[in-house]
Amino acid sequence: MPRKPISLPHPIEYLSILDENGTLDGDLEPLIEPADLLKLHRAMLLGRRFDERMLSLQRQGRIGTFAPIAGQEAAQLGAVAALRDSDWMVPSFRESAAEIWRGKPLENFIIFFGGFNEGGQIASESNDLPLCVPVGSQVPHAVGLAWAMKYRGSDQVAMTFFGDGATSEGDFHEGLNLAAVFQAPVIFVCQNNQWAISIPRANQTRSATLAQKAIAYGMPGIQVDGNDILAVYAAASEAVARARAGDGPTLIECVTYRLSVHTTADDPKRYRSDDDVAVWKKRDPIARFQRYLTDKGVLTPEKIEALEAEIQAEIQAAVTRAEEQMAQMDDPLEMFDHVYAEMTPDLQAQQAELARELAAARKEDSHG
């Protein structure tokens, strides 16, 4: 009886183009016009500074909890930069840089995390789904969209994001299996930031990589340096081109790190050390990209300083607009109005109960 290795159609590769020391592999450098490089740099910096301002707003009690993105800007922007506006983007809950790139206004984030559903509204011309908090449940949604586009004969693709923790969920495996069987044009982008809240990557799976899970479903998988925006862009561009050509899905594992908290309700000092964080801070994707752009002669320290001031003004204007809008949204009873076309008896009862409680609270306040 024979005993021999089985030949598999898709090997697993690791891709890095611009390492943490700023060393460029010129043979692998993707062709990106200088104007587009600067657009990516601006988007990375805007994502980071907006993240910092959101954290400040949350600590001041001006918005509720949210999931910071610091450290993951390259993984998000390198991926979505490969999409057309007409493609679909299906985020999880930590893709604010990708959502901003796709056109979501800054004030909508503030309004949403300020507790108002209006901030989560998607523009009618957008092909993005709202953020998804349940871990992994957005994966089948992206596969369904991709399959529908293929069924209609469109060349659109779908891209969905999730973390390393989602690869332990059933939705992840069901989505990849269906996508591969039907050769749906979908790109699965895993941001492996090393932690599923407080569970380390090593306790999630015994697999050497997350990218190799693609092999089980018969699709290409690749692991990239997720802090290297050039590598992420190159991998995503290949995957998008393959999907658009009718050659099915791809799994991209972006190896990155969550520099901040899981959410603002989290205390990461209880499960990871400052030394671990310091190692990854040296691999900061923005600093690395700035060195590349400076060496390339398309960016200077003076331009960075001017851009920082421009971005701060843009963020402040968004905060002002958001707080002005939230000041007008003073009736919490409206949150029941848009759940269904016709309100159910249960919702009517809940709305009436809340109305009674609010009236009682106002009466109590009037007594001083």
Side-chain angles (χ1 to χ4, degrees):
M1 300 293 286
R3 179 169 180 160
K4 59 184 181 181
I6 297 174
S7 177
L8 299 173
H10 302 297
I12 297 298
E13 294 181 331
Y14 175 81
L15 177 62
S16 171
I17 297 175
L18 184 66
D19 73 14
E20 61 189 271
N21 299 315
T23 304
L24 175 72
D25 187 329
D27 293 336
L28 296 176
E29 183 183 13
L31 181 59
I32 307 176
E33 294 296 327
D36 292 331
L37 288 172
L38 291 176
K39 184 180 176 184
L40 282 170
H41 170 253
R42 189 186 193 285
M44 292 177 77
L45 204 56
L46 175 59
R48 178 70 61 88
R49 298 297 176 247
F50 184 59
D51 203 55
E52 294 167 351
R53 186 61 187 277
M54 288 281 284
L55 189 56
S56 173
L57 291 173
Q58 194 278 332
R59 296 311 192 211
Q60 295 169 29
R62 293 159 70 180
I63 63 171
T65 192
F66 79 103
I69 66 164
Q72 299 182 215
E73 296 86 355
Q76 297 181 21
L77 290 164
V80 290
L83 295 178
R84 297 174 182 165
D85 291 344
S86 58
D87 293 326
W88 284 85
M89 200 272 282
V90 185
S92 62
F93 53 83
R94 198 190 303 280
E95 277 76 51
S96 59
E99 291 183 278
I100 294 169
W101 176 271
R102 298 276 292 175
K104 184 173 178 177
L106 297 183
E107 55 264 38
N108 281 26
F109 293 92
I110 301 168
I111 293 169
F112 180 80
F113 291 110
F116 298 93
N117 287 333
E118 288 85 345
Q121 185 174 0
I122 302 297
S124 58
E125 69 275 13
S126 172
N127 278 357
D128 295 357
L129 262 56
L131 65 82
C132 183
V133 174
V135 176
S137 62
Q138 75 280 11
V139 174
H141 300 163
V143 176
L145 283 167
W147 168 236
M149 287 183 283
K150 181 176 181 178
Y151 183 79
R152 293 175 175 178
S154 165
D155 69 347
Q156 294 165 279
V157 306
M159 175 178 286
T160 187
F161 290 87
F162 47 88
D164 44 294
T167 65
S168 297
E169 296 286 341
D171 286 336
F172 166 81
H173 298 280
E174 292 163 9
L176 265 67
N177 188 59
L178 190 71
V181 168
F182 288 93
Q183 289 290 278
V186 56
I187 297 92
F188 302 99
V189 181
C190 175
Q191 294 182 81
N192 172 10
N193 68 15
Q194 314 298 322
W195 293 94
I197 308 182
S198 57
I199 304 298
R201 154 73 174 81
N203 287 4
Q204 280 286 326
T205 176
R206 289 283 292 176
S207 299
T209 72
L210 300 178
Q212 73 195 62
K213 295 179 184 291
I215 295 176
Y217 298 107
M219 72 174 74
I222 185 169
Q223 186 186 66
V224 304
D225 181 344
N227 285 12
D228 172 4
I229 194 168
L230 299 182
V232 178
Y233 176 79
S237 296
E238 290 176 7
V240 167
R242 188 162 47 243
R244 218 183 288 289
D247 293 330
T250 300
L251 171 61
I252 301 173
E253 177 192 359
C254 298
V255 181
T256 182
Y257 195 80
R258 166 171 42 90
L259 292 175
S260 186
V261 293
H262 169 66
T263 72
T264 49
D266 172 47
D267 178 9
K269 290 184 179 298
R270 298 181 64 180
Y271 55 82
R272 72 182 187 187
S273 71
D274 290 341
D275 290 341
D276 289 343
V277 179
V279 169
W280 281 91
K281 281 185 175 178
K282 293 178 181 177
R283 303 169 182 168
D284 190 300
I286 296 179
R288 188 187 310 188
F289 195 44
Q290 287 178 336
R291 285 197 297 272
Y292 165 75
L293 295 175
T294 303
D295 293 344
K296 204 173 181 65
V298 298
L299 191 64
T300 64
E302 292 75 21
K303 288 182 179 178
I304 294 174
E305 185 177 352
L307 183 58
E308 291 274 16
E310 178 186 312
I311 285 173
Q312 290 297 342
E314 180 179 344
I315 292 171
Q316 181 54 51
V319 172
T320 300
R321 287 194 300 272
E323 294 192 327
E324 287 175 351
Q325 291 181 52
M326 287 191 289
Q328 302 300 316
M329 300 174 185
D330 58 353
D331 186 0
L333 297 179
E334 290 181 356
M335 67 180 167
F336 296 93
D337 293 342
H338 308 295
V339 180
Y340 298 107
E342 296 182 8
M343 198 180 303
T344 64
D346 286 345
L347 282 181
Q348 289 176 350
Q350 290 178 35
Q351 187 183 42
E353 182 178 355
L354 180 57
R356 288 193 296 271
E357 290 184 4
L358 291 172
R362 281 193 289 270
K363 185 176 181 180
E364 182 71 20
D365 289 343
S366 68
H367 293 161

